[in-house]
Amino acid sequence: MKLMTKELEAKLPSLYANEELGNDAEALVKYFTPDADWTWYATEYNPEERTFFGLVDGFVKELGYFNLDELKTLRGPFGLPVERDLYWKPTPLKEVDPKLA
């Protein structure tokens, strides 16, 4: 499965484009480990650096940056790679995590 498509790349705003939106920014893409408890919700993307900004839900939930190349190398405890949620609908961050509201 491709983690990034040309269509997704075109839809994702550039880094810092959503700063004024804060937690109203939409998570346009969701990545997850099927065999672990990690999820990444991307709201912005820089194609040159292949870096996202969004919500990372792992050991703790926090807003931050994550890298596409690193997502491609990650494996869960059973060796499964990170996947893109093909059924994800764009959702504001404050709805993904109500604590951000």
Side-chain angles (χ1 to χ4, degrees):
M1 164 192 301
K2 291 184 85 171
L3 293 182
M4 177 59 72
T5 64
K6 296 282 185 196
E7 180 182 273
L8 277 175
E9 190 173 304
K11 286 182 182 180
L12 281 161
S14 60
L15 288 182
Y16 313 110
N18 289 334
E19 277 188 319
E20 62 191 43
L21 294 176
N23 298 329
D24 288 322
E26 284 193 329
L28 297 177
V29 61
K30 174 186 171 185
Y31 299 106
F32 65 97
T33 50
D35 58 347
D37 291 330
W38 282 78
T39 308
W40 298 262
Y41 301 90
T43 61
E44 301 169 352
Y45 182 64
N46 178 324
E48 290 82 31
E49 297 177 7
R50 299 168 61 88
T51 300
F52 296 97
F53 180 80
L55 179 66
V56 179
D57 185 359
F59 296 121
V60 296
K61 283 186 185 178
E62 61 185 348
L63 295 172
Y65 298 90
F66 51 99
N67 184 275
L68 180 60
D69 296 323
E70 289 179 8
L71 288 180
K72 289 180 177 182
T73 65
L74 293 176
R75 298 290 181 267
F78 297 114
L80 298 176
V82 172
E83 295 184 19
R84 179 170 44 93
D85 186 341
L86 300 176
Y87 302 100
W88 177 254
K89 302 280 188 233
T91 305
L93 288 176
K94 66 183 181 184
E95 291 180 26
V96 172
D97 184 0
K99 291 180 184 175
L100 293 174

